[in-house]
Amino acid sequence: EDHNNIYLLKFKGFYFHCAAFDTGLSENLDDFEIRDDDVFVVTYPKSGTIWAQQILSLIYFEEHRKRTENLEAAHRVPFLEYSSRDIDFGKRPSPRLFTTHIPYYLVPRGLKDKKAKIIYIYRNPKDVMCSYFHYINTYPVFKAADTIEAFMKQFLEGKVLGSVWFDHVRGWYEHRNYFNIQFMMYEEMKKDLRSSVLKLCKFLGEDLSEEAVNAVVRQASFENMKDDPLANFENTLYRGFGPKLQEGHFLRKGTIGDWKNHMTVQQNERFDKIFQKQMKDFPLQFIWDVNETQN
């Protein structure tokens, strides 16, 4: 019996989370009305999604930066495919901010006129896989693979929310010319958050004072987010999936190279072979270890 079926729903060739998925919206995603000043954060799961929600909330909302308004980042930058029942997107004031995991071929047609902005964050897939493994083992609803070996098979076959990692990042990159898109590397954001925030502000056309930039960088640091109920996503997950199996934070480590603590030499070699085959001639760089600069 395929234990994934319990929470995965395949729709147009892509795996969604069935509990939260809004088929009505998704059937019509193509026609979802895009405004010129919309901003989309696109990620494969476990690649910095929650972090991006926090960074954008801090850039766009002074009341989030100054904490004068008690609203979670997850509500400020809601999921396109998982929130529509609670939120009337049409009534949201501009600029509207969205989060999504969907592949390039499912996005609203209106994004192709290149006015609305897309930020695509990618992360090295070994860390994505290990982070994912912890995540699905934290929430009983997922009926997860219990070893990294078993999960690696599932991950590489794309039998997870988000489907095949390689297809996701390659698809978006190879179709980048259809969109107004900025690629950001998770590891670079980690190493130099300030430069990354400035790069984002420039892409978004948001001119922040130095004081505001400092506040964004401070409040978007992993340590600060981890204990911040407005940023750490735990309330949202609790509402969606109920209590966790173990104590500990949804935002677990947020490091680079944690895969070395999980993968055997043999698993790593197998992964590398597949990576090389899937990603040969792929121009985006990857960082695999906290000490290395771009290879």
Side-chain angles (χ1 to χ4, degrees), residues 31-145:
D31 302 318
F32 181 83
E33 206 167 316
I34 298 291
R35 300 179 193 162
D36 289 353
D37 52 6
D38 283 346
V39 177
F40 285 78
V41 170
V42 180
T43 55
Y44 184 86
K46 314 316 295 173
S47 304
T49 320
I50 314 301
W51 196 15
Q53 286 177 318
Q54 171 72 343
I55 293 170
L56 282 196
S57 298
L58 292 163
I59 288 175
Y60 278 94
F61 300 103
E62 190 179 3
E63 58 273 31
H64 198 72
R65 266 197 315 276
K66 298 199 163 148
R67 305 191 71 90
T68 53
E69 188 183 272
N70 199 14
L71 190 62
E72 289 172 41
H75 289 297
R76 295 188 188 277
V77 196
F79 261 96
L80 176 65
E81 65 269 37
Y82 296 120
S83 325
S84 65
R85 289 181 200 140
D86 325 322
I87 299 173
D88 183 345
F89 288 137
K91 290 200 169 83
R92 280 182 87 89
S94 292
R96 297 182 303 182
L97 310 175
F98 295 97
T99 310
T100 184
H101 290 319
I102 55 182
Y104 76 93
Y105 64 85
L106 286 182
V107 297
R109 214 177 22 239
L111 274 173
K112 289 189 176 160
D113 70 10
K114 298 191 181 182
K115 292 195 178 74
K117 299 184 171 82
I118 300 173
I119 298 158
Y120 186 98
I121 303 177
Y122 69 99
R123 182 185 190 185
N124 93 60
K126 293 177 192 174
D127 279 338
V128 169
M129 180 176 78
C130 293
S131 170
Y132 216 146
F133 175 68
H134 280 280
Y135 168 56
I136 65 172
N137 274 290
T138 304
Y139 289 88
V141 57
F142 290 131
K143 306 284 183 287

Side-chain angles (χ1 to χ4, degrees), residues 64 152 235:
H64 198 72
M152 181 159 140
N235 290 335

